Amino acid sequence: MGDNYHTLDQYSSEKNAARQRRSKWIVIGSILVLVVLIGAGVAAGIIISNRNKSNGGSSSSSKGNNKDPSVFTKDPRLHKSFYGLAYTPEGSLVPECGNSLENVIKDIQLMSQLTTRVRLYGADCNQTALVLEAIKQTKVDIQVFLGNYVVPTDHAAYERQRDILKDAIQTYGTDHIAGVTVGNEFMLNYLTEHEATDPDGEIGKQGAAILLADIQDTRDMLASLALPKDIPVGNSDAGSFFSTDVLSAVDYGLSNVHAWFANTTAEGAAEWVTTFFEETNVQPAALLPNKPKMYIAETGWPTKSSDAGNANNGGSDASVAGLQAFMDNFVCQANDNGIPYFFFEFFDEEWKDIQFGGVEGWWGLFNADRTLKDITIPNCTAP
Ligand SMILES: *[C@@H]1O[C@H](CO)[C@@H](O)[C@H](O)[C@H]1NC(C)=O
Ligand SMILES: *[C@@H]1O[C@H](CO)[C@@H](O)[C@H](O)[C@H]1NC(C)=O
Ligand SMILES: *[C@@H]1O[C@H](CO)[C@@H](O)[C@H](O)[C@H]1NC(C)=O
C-alpha cells in the first residue's frame, strides 16, 4: 500500500533525520560556539516573570452549553507574544488519521491567545480544511502557512496533498492563508538517504529537482485559481540543508534552528539560534536574486526525555526550566529584532514519542492533553 509505505518512509526518514541532525548540529555547534564568542553578543533578553497562578488550562465554551466556538474563556496566563507557532493537529498522519474539528477548534482557541500565525507541515487527513474551518468558526485573527509534506519516493503523496490544498483554498478563500510551504526537511531526508551532505552537490541537485518541479506545480495550481491575492510559495528545511536552487525558486524559506542539537546550554540557546539563523540563512538568502524571506521554522527546547540517555545533549538537560530560560531569552528579543519565527511547538505530540522516544515527543508549550506546562508565557506583544 502506497499509504503504508509513505507512513513508514516518513517515520524512518524523520528518525534518521533527527539522528543526523543531532550529529550535524554538534559539528556546526562547535564551530559556531567560537563564532559566537568572537562575534558581537546579543543583549540578553529582559523578561518579565509574573507568575499568574490562575487555573483553567483548557479553554472550553464559556457559558453552560454555549456551542458557539467564537465565545470561549481566555486564559489569563497566555499572551500574544509569539510571532508564530508550529502545529500539527493530533491525528494527522496517514493512514490512521483520526483528527477532529472539535479538537482543532480547541487548539485554535488556545493558539489565538498566543499568536496570530500558525504553520502546518502537511495536508493529509483533511487538516487544511479543519484548521481553516476552525478559524472561521472561532472568528480569530490567525494566518496559516499551509504545508505539503513532500516524500521523495511517493509522488502521489504530493499530488494528493496539492489537491487537498486546492480544494481548501477554493472552499475557504485566501483571507487566512499566508503561504503554501512545499517540502519539509526534504533535502535533509534526501541527502541522508543517499549518504550525502551537500545540498548543492550532485545528489543534492537531484533532490532539488524533485522539489523544484513540485514548487512550480504548486504555483501553477494557485495561478489556475485566479485568486484575489498572491499566495507566497515557500520551502522548509533543516537550517544547514537549504539548496540554493530551491531557495532561488521560492518566496520564503522556513529554517529549523535547534540549539538543543548544537551542544548549547538552555541559557545560551537564544543567542546561538539568533546567530546561526542570521549567518546560515538570512545572509545567504539576501544574496540571491529573488531574496526569499527567511523565517525560523522551528525553535524551542524539550521539557523531558523518555529515556535517560537522551536527557542531556551536551549543554543542559531537557527540562521545563530549560524551556522557560529559552523563552525568556528568545521570544521578546526576537520580536524586538524583527526575527520571524515559529515556536516549536504548540503541544506535545504523542505519536512522536511512540515512534522516536527520547526528547522527540516533548517540545510542547502545552502537554498532550492541552493543559499548559508549568511555564510563564513571556508578556510582550509579537509583531
Ligand atoms: C474536511 O473538513 C471540513 C471542515 O470541517 C469538512 O467540511 C469536510 O467534510 C471534511 N472532509 C472530509 C473528507 O472529511
Ligand atoms: C559540548 O560543550 C562542552 C562545553 O563547551 C564541551 O566540553 C564538549 O566537548 C562539547 N561536546 C561536543 C560533542 O562538542
Ligand atoms: C502584561 O503586559 C500588559 C501590558 O504591559 C499589562 O497590562 C499586563 O498587566 C501584563 N500581564 C501580566 C500577567 O503581567
Side-chain angles (χ1 to χ4, degrees):
M1 281 290 290
D3 279 350
N4 276 319
Y5 202 79
H6 166 222
T7 307
L8 285 173
D9 190 58
Q10 183 170 329
Y11 286 152
S12 61
S13 295
E14 287 185 6
K15 186 59 182 168
N16 283 336
R19 288 203 195 98
Q20 169 86 2
R21 196 157 56 196
R22 192 163 297 133
S23 48
K24 184 80 184 175
W25 284 120
I26 288 168
V27 174
I28 296 162
S30 354
I31 298 163
L32 276 180
V33 165
L34 195 62
V35 175
V36 168
L37 289 175
I38 296 166
V42 178
I46 305 130
I47 292 310
I48 312 92
S49 60
N50 281 339
R51 222 157 240 275
N52 190 332
K53 278 286 173 193
S54 61
N55 287 324
S58 64
S59 267
S60 50
S61 294
S62 59
K63 293 164 193 100
N65 288 325
N66 191 343
K67 287 274 164 58
D68 179 354
S70 71
V71 179
F72 56 97
T73 308
K74 305 290 193 303
D75 186 332
R77 297 170 301 175
L78 308 183
H79 308 289
K80 276 192 171 173
S81 48
F82 294 88
Y83 182 90
L85 288 175
Y87 174 58
T88 300
E90 184 180 353
S92 296
L93 287 181
V94 286
E96 299 85 357
C97 295
N99 53 21
S100 72
L101 181 61
E102 193 189 349
N103 278 342
V104 175
I105 285 174
K106 211 182 291 175
D107 295 346
I108 291 288
Q109 288 173 337
L110 286 173
M111 288 191 286
S112 71
Q113 300 173 61
L114 292 165
T115 189
T116 56
R117 299 175 193 88
V118 168
R119 69 166 287 228
L120 298 173
Y121 290 78
D124 275 325
C125 307
N126 202 26
Q127 59 182 291
T128 316
L130 290 177
V131 167
L132 292 171
E133 177 68 27
I135 291 171
K136 185 178 163 189
Q137 291 195 19
T138 54
K139 301 188 171 78
V140 297
D141 172 22
I142 287 185
Q143 292 287 312
V144 191
F145 289 75
L146 305 176
N148 187 328
Y149 193 102
V150 180
V151 183
T153 52
D154 185 359
H155 198 250
Y158 163 79
E159 292 179 340
R160 178 179 67 229
Q161 293 174 86
R162 176 204 59 203
D163 294 344
I164 292 169
L165 290 166
K166 181 178 179 183
D167 194 53
I169 294 167
Q170 284 176 309
T171 305
Y172 293 97
T174 55
D175 285 357
H176 291 276
I177 299 175
V180 177
T181 311
V182 180
N184 179 66
E185 293 196 335
F186 178 94
M187 292 304 298
L188 171 62
N189 292 338
Y190 191 87
L191 289 167
T192 305
E193 276 158 27
H194 293 82
E195 295 176 352
T197 51
D198 180 4
D200 292 330
E202 197 187 326
I203 291 173
K205 281 185 178 292
Q206 283 167 20
I210 298 173
L211 271 183
L212 289 172
D214 291 347
I215 287 163
Q216 185 57 48
D217 182 71
T218 296
R219 288 197 190 279
D220 292 346
M221 177 273 282
L222 292 170
S224 78
L225 296 176
L227 299 169
K229 75 173 190 195
D230 277 344
I231 306 281
V233 175
N235 169 251
S236 176
D237 220 307
S240 42
F241 283 83
F242 275 99
S243 143
T244 305
D245 291 350
V246 172
L247 269 189
S248 302
V250 289
D251 304 309
Y252 65 93
L254 288 164
S255 169
N256 292 349
V257 186
H258 284 298
W260 169 261
F261 295 108
N263 195 29
T264 61
T265 61
E267 288 70 27
E271 189 173 325
W272 186 89
V273 168
T274 305
T275 305
F276 179 95
F277 178 59
E278 175 64 24
E279 292 177 350
T280 315
N281 300 131
V282 175
Q283 289 174 6
L287 299 176
L288 299 176
N290 58 321
K291 299 193 189 335
K293 176 171 170 141
M294 300 305 290
Y295 298 78
I296 295 178
E298 290 186 354
T299 194
W301 194 267
T303 56
K304 76 173 209 181
S305 171
S306 292
D307 60 78
N310 286 299
N312 187 302
N313 208 46
S316 306
D317 284 349
S319 68
V320 171
L323 172 59
Q324 186 68 55
F326 179 58
M327 277 195 304
D328 287 351
N329 290 327
F330 181 77
V331 172
C332 299
Q333 182 184 313
N335 295 343
D336 287 347
N337 292 335
I339 298 173
Y341 62 90
F342 293 85
F343 205 83
F344 184 77
E345 58 181 328
F346 167 60
F347 71 153
D348 286 346
E349 297 193 58
E350 282 175 319
W351 70 270
K352 291 186 181 173
D353 184 48
I354 293 164
Q355 292 294 325
F356 310 136
V359 298
E360 294 288 324
W362 308 107
W363 292 75
L365 298 172
F366 291 80
N367 297 297
D369 67 359
R370 289 141 178 110
T371 54
L372 187 64
K373 289 182 181 174
D374 188 18
I375 52 176
T376 301
I377 299 295
N379 186 13
C380 53
T381 304

